[in-house]
Amino acid sequence: MTALVITVTSILSFPCFAFASSYEDELRAKGFPESYIQKLTVLHNKYPNWIFEPLMTNLDWQTAVNGERSLHSNQLIQNISSYDTSMFCSCPRCYVNGKYVVQESSNWVSASESAVQYYMDPRNWLDEQHIFQFESTSYDGTQPKEGVEAILYGTWMYDSLITYRTTGGSVKLYDSTTKYSDVIMKAANDSGMSAYYLASKIRQENGGATASASAVNGTVSPFQGIYNYFNIGAYTGAPDGLAWAAGFLKLNNNSTLYSDYDTATGTVTGTATPIYAGQYMTWRANKGNYYYVRLYNEVNGKYVEGASGYVLQSDCRTKYMGDTDTGLGRPWTNPYKAIYYGAKYIARSFKTQSSGYLQKFNVNPASSNLHTNEYMKNVAAASSEAVSTYNGYAKANILGVTKRFVIPVFNNMPNEIIITGFSLSALGEGYATLAWNNTNGAISYQVQMLSNGQWVDYTTVSSPAVTVYGLIPGQEYKFRVRAVVQNGSEIKYGTYSNELSVSTVISKVSGVKATSGNDYITLKWNTAKNATGYYIYIYSTARKTYRIYKTVNGGGTTSVKLTGLKPNKSYKFKVKAFATCNGKVYKATASNSISVKTKNNVVSLSSAKSSKAKKITVKWKKVSGVTGYQVMWSTSSNFKKNFLSVKVKGASKTSTTLTTSKSKKTYYVRVRAYKTAKGKTTYFPWSNKIKLKVK
């Protein structure tokens, strides 16, 4: 069986460092195959403090896959509609009467060989998120509590004190200072496990916005008040794990269950009920020489609760209880015990399985039980837990610190099948068309889109192109794709490509209109969908190009008044919508240009007469929206010498009387409006001139 690995060329690029080739040689010297080196080099270029070490399994690839599938029920996958059916095993034992056999819970079925190959092949997970399934789970004293809190973010455990339900059902605070992150840090230190690994494991197994999961809510009958944060022993579901966490307390010999206990005398009272050797029970409390217990039986795979009462401690088997190597502090009657001793159990049970990957696929040659003793049956568990770890590191801003990754290498690993040319071929306001080169033997391509930090299936297509609809204009989206190849009856899955970033187009602004005043122009336009603002461009006759004149913030703002313009002048404008997303600005195509001229507000000079010596009476027509008028008189027709002027304040003023220095002399008169705003005075064009002789 040959597994599929895909590499792609995308519009994303990584910097080329001077040491790239030497680092590649370093990876080769360590023993990494060529199919690992390019991806690890990309990661090293981005995170130079990360350390990559090969784990030489000395196992033949297909032999390892067969070993992991020796029991199909040990490799499970959820039967959900978003998965291709080729992910599910269709052998005669796993597919019966047209249905996939449910192995656990309501929809967990056996994974197909190709699905196991896909999740087992380390080369499929050498990206900055999924690489963390190879991070060493050994204790690292540099991991701070803040990093643990970051991993727990979004769950009820984040920055929270430990609260729980007792075996009697009451809600209790563990103490006034201890938070979930505190016990994880303590468990890591004492067990020799990575605190980040423990936090990620808990989140993967039982994380949620509330403590509603069966293994952590303390209400599941008959194990009320019992907790199992790591789901240890939960082979067919949470109740199995709770039975494990309760310590399998049972009778060694026939005994009696008493309904009451007299604390004052230390004797049992009430109804006495015979119970028999082999009876299982859950511990509730210690009472003198007695245990207060809750009886239960397992019937048809389900746990059935019986009566509660008091039984002699000496009649009970306590092999799997107590603070011993075997007991590991059971029963785990509060979250602190479940987390602290659970970490010790993992450390003891998985000494040679020191990564999330190895705990799912036990291929370490140092292990005495290859392909068994695996923590979880979920074939995708290691990869999904890795994303939780990555998100925690990213939130805590500690992705770049030193980390050690131990990555398995197999003999006779399959050759890579390469996809090339993954790129954007068309882009519109609400859609993007992605395309890539055809892959030989591909029967389909699976396309995923990044949503809320998680990759989700978008569609499966049969040809090497897809148009993604329903995108919001002015937003950035990320996509990746992998091929599904058929060789005879074998279905093989490739690695997902590097992500392709696509910024969608914003609507072109339409309906631009303009009105003008003497020193301003008002522009109006239609709303551009999903815009966060608009750029106003003005045409420069000197540069013969458009430049940004003003920025209008707010996608719902559809008008702007442009002031400080010159009267009686023509201007050309364009409007361009923009949107901001993740700190980036995306611009639409500019609108069509619009030309508009400011008003001149030229004063109409009505008359200029002299009825008295050295006096001129001047009259003009009112101009609205101005501050006043300037009247000039001169003996020169071009007003360049022998001139005087006076300001007449008030837009409603329409006349004034001038005094000349000479009589019996020819004078010329003209008038213009002016406007003062914010300390700046704007003068409008001069009126026509009138020639007269002063008396």
Side-chain angles (χ1 to χ4, degrees), residues 368-654:
S368 60
N369 42 17
L370 284 174
H371 313 305
T372 61
N373 191 50
E374 294 176 350
Y375 192 98
M376 51 279 200
K377 295 184 178 182
N378 177 6
V379 73
S383 61
S384 52
E385 285 179 14
V387 175
S388 294
T389 303
Y390 168 85
N391 290 337
Y393 286 158
K395 181 175 175 57
N397 197 29
I398 53 175
L399 274 172
V401 302
T402 301
K403 295 177 176 62
R404 182 170 176 265
F405 302 90
V406 182
I407 307 169
V409 174
F410 300 87
N411 296 333
N412 302 315
M413 295 189 75
N415 294 327
E416 290 186 292
I417 299 175
I418 301 174
I419 281 184
T420 59
F422 183 39
S423 60
L424 178 69
S425 65
L427 189 64
E429 291 183 12
Y431 71 90
T433 299
L434 315 175
W436 53 94
N437 296 332
N438 188 51
T439 300
N440 291 334
I443 58 173
S444 64
Y445 301 90
Q446 295 178 340
V447 181
Q448 286 194 328
M449 181 168 64
L450 192 66
S451 176
N452 297 320
Q454 300 290 330
W455 288 103
V456 297
D457 291 330
Y458 176 76
T459 189
T460 298
V461 294
S462 57
S463 59
V466 64
T467 299
V468 183
Y469 293 101
L471 304 180
I472 299 174
Q475 298 289 312
E476 182 181 50
Y477 293 87
K478 293 183 178 180
F479 300 93
R480 65 181 188 179
V481 63
R482 70 173 177 179
V484 181
V485 174
Q486 185 167 13
N487 183 8
S489 61
E490 297 178 336
I491 302 294
K492 295 171 282 187
Y493 292 86
T495 184
Y496 279 104
S497 67
N498 290 336
E499 61 189 36
L500 175 68
S501 293
V502 174
S503 300
T504 50
V505 175
I506 311 168
S507 303
K508 178 181 177 180
V509 171
S510 63
V512 182
K513 298 178 181 179
T515 57
S516 67
N518 45 58
D519 62 344
Y520 69 89
I521 292 174
T522 298
L523 298 177
K524 293 185 178 180
W525 57 88
N526 297 328
T527 303
K529 186 177 180 182
N530 294 106
T532 56
Y534 303 89
Y535 293 124
I536 310 301
Y537 287 81
I538 190 170
Y539 185 76
S540 170
T541 54
R543 299 178 181 177
K544 295 183 179 181
T545 186
Y546 283 88
R547 63 178 177 85
I548 294 178
Y549 182 76
K550 191 177 184 63
T551 300
V552 180
N553 292 313
T557 303
T558 55
S559 67
V560 64
K561 186 176 182 180
L562 308 175
T563 59
L565 304 178
K566 294 181 179 180
N568 197 34
K569 183 176 180 179
S570 294
Y571 292 91
K572 289 170 66 176
F573 298 97
K574 290 183 179 182
V575 182
K576 181 181 291 188
F578 70 87
T580 56
C581 179
N582 297 327
K584 297 180 181 179
V585 177
Y586 303 99
K587 299 177 183 179
T589 302
S591 70
N592 296 333
S593 65
I594 185 169
S595 298
V596 61
K597 187 176 183 179
T598 51
K599 294 180 178 180
N600 56 31
N601 273 348
V602 176
V603 177
S604 177
L605 183 58
S606 302
S607 63
K609 297 179 180 180
S610 177
S611 55
K612 295 181 180 180
K614 297 183 180 181
K615 298 292 182 181
I616 301 174
T617 299
V618 184
K619 293 183 180 181
W620 60 87
K621 291 185 179 181
K622 182 177 70 172
V623 175
S624 61
V626 300
T627 303
Y629 307 89
Q630 182 184 29
V631 183
M632 180 177 286
W633 66 101
S634 174
T635 57
S636 171
S637 62
N638 60 10
F639 296 89
K640 290 185 177 181
K641 60 181 180 178
N642 300 325
F643 64 86
L644 292 171
S645 69
V646 65
K647 282 187 175 180
V648 180
K649 192 173 183 179
S652 61
K653 298 293 182 66
T654 57

Side-chain angles (χ1 to χ4, degrees), residues 215-477:
V216 295
N217 63 28
T219 64
V220 175
S221 172
F223 306 110
Q224 294 91 329
I226 302 297
Y227 300 86
N228 193 341
Y229 275 63
F230 295 102
N231 275 343
I232 298 168
Y235 302 114
T236 63
D240 279 355
L242 292 174
W244 191 97
F248 301 116
L249 181 65
K250 73 174 182 177
L251 285 177
N252 282 327
N253 47 262
N254 296 342
S255 187
T256 303
L257 183 75
Y258 295 91
S259 60
D260 299 299
Y261 180 83
D262 187 336
T263 303
T265 61
T267 58
V268 289
T269 61
T271 303
T273 303
I275 51 178
Y276 304 97
Q279 172 66 58
Y280 278 98
M281 60 198 86
T282 306
W283 179 94
R284 296 186 64 179
N286 287 343
K287 292 292 183 180
N289 295 324
Y290 290 83
Y291 287 138
Y292 182 39
V293 299
R294 181 183 289 112
L295 305 183
Y296 71 87
N297 290 313
E298 187 174 359
V299 180
N300 296 326
K302 295 184 178 181
Y303 295 91
V304 180
E305 182 177 341
S308 289
Y310 301 86
V311 63
L312 273 171
Q313 295 182 15
S314 58
D315 288 343
C316 299
R317 181 191 74 173
T318 57
K319 176 181 178 181
Y320 301 107
M321 294 176 59
D323 189 8
T324 63
D325 186 54
T326 302
L328 286 164
R330 291 178 282 178
W332 292 346
T333 51
N334 61 58
Y336 191 105
K337 292 175 70 175
I339 294 171
Y340 182 81
Y341 287 106
K344 286 198 168 186
Y345 171 84
I346 296 172
R348 185 187 70 186
S349 301
F350 299 98
K351 292 180 181 178
T352 60
Q353 294 164 259
S354 55
S355 70
Y357 177 94
L358 292 175
Q359 289 179 15
K360 175 64 201 107
F361 304 111
N362 186 7
V363 294
N364 190 339
S367 174
S368 60
N369 42 17
L370 284 174
H371 313 305
T372 61
N373 191 50
E374 294 176 350
Y375 192 98
M376 51 279 200
K377 295 184 178 182
N378 177 6
V379 73
S383 61
S384 52
E385 285 179 14
V387 175
S388 294
T389 303
Y390 168 85
N391 290 337
Y393 286 158
K395 181 175 175 57
N397 197 29
I398 53 175
L399 274 172
V401 302
T402 301
K403 295 177 176 62
R404 182 170 176 265
F405 302 90
V406 182
I407 307 169
V409 174
F410 300 87
N411 296 333
N412 302 315
M413 295 189 75
N415 294 327
E416 290 186 292
I417 299 175
I418 301 174
I419 281 184
T420 59
F422 183 39
S423 60
L424 178 69
S425 65
L427 189 64
E429 291 183 12
Y431 71 90
T433 299
L434 315 175
W436 53 94
N437 296 332
N438 188 51
T439 300
N440 291 334
I443 58 173
S444 64
Y445 301 90
Q446 295 178 340
V447 181
Q448 286 194 328
M449 181 168 64
L450 192 66
S451 176
N452 297 320
Q454 300 290 330
W455 288 103
V456 297
D457 291 330
Y458 176 76
T459 189
T460 298
V461 294
S462 57
S463 59
V466 64
T467 299
V468 183
Y469 293 101
L471 304 180
I472 299 174
Q475 298 289 312
E476 182 181 50
Y477 293 87

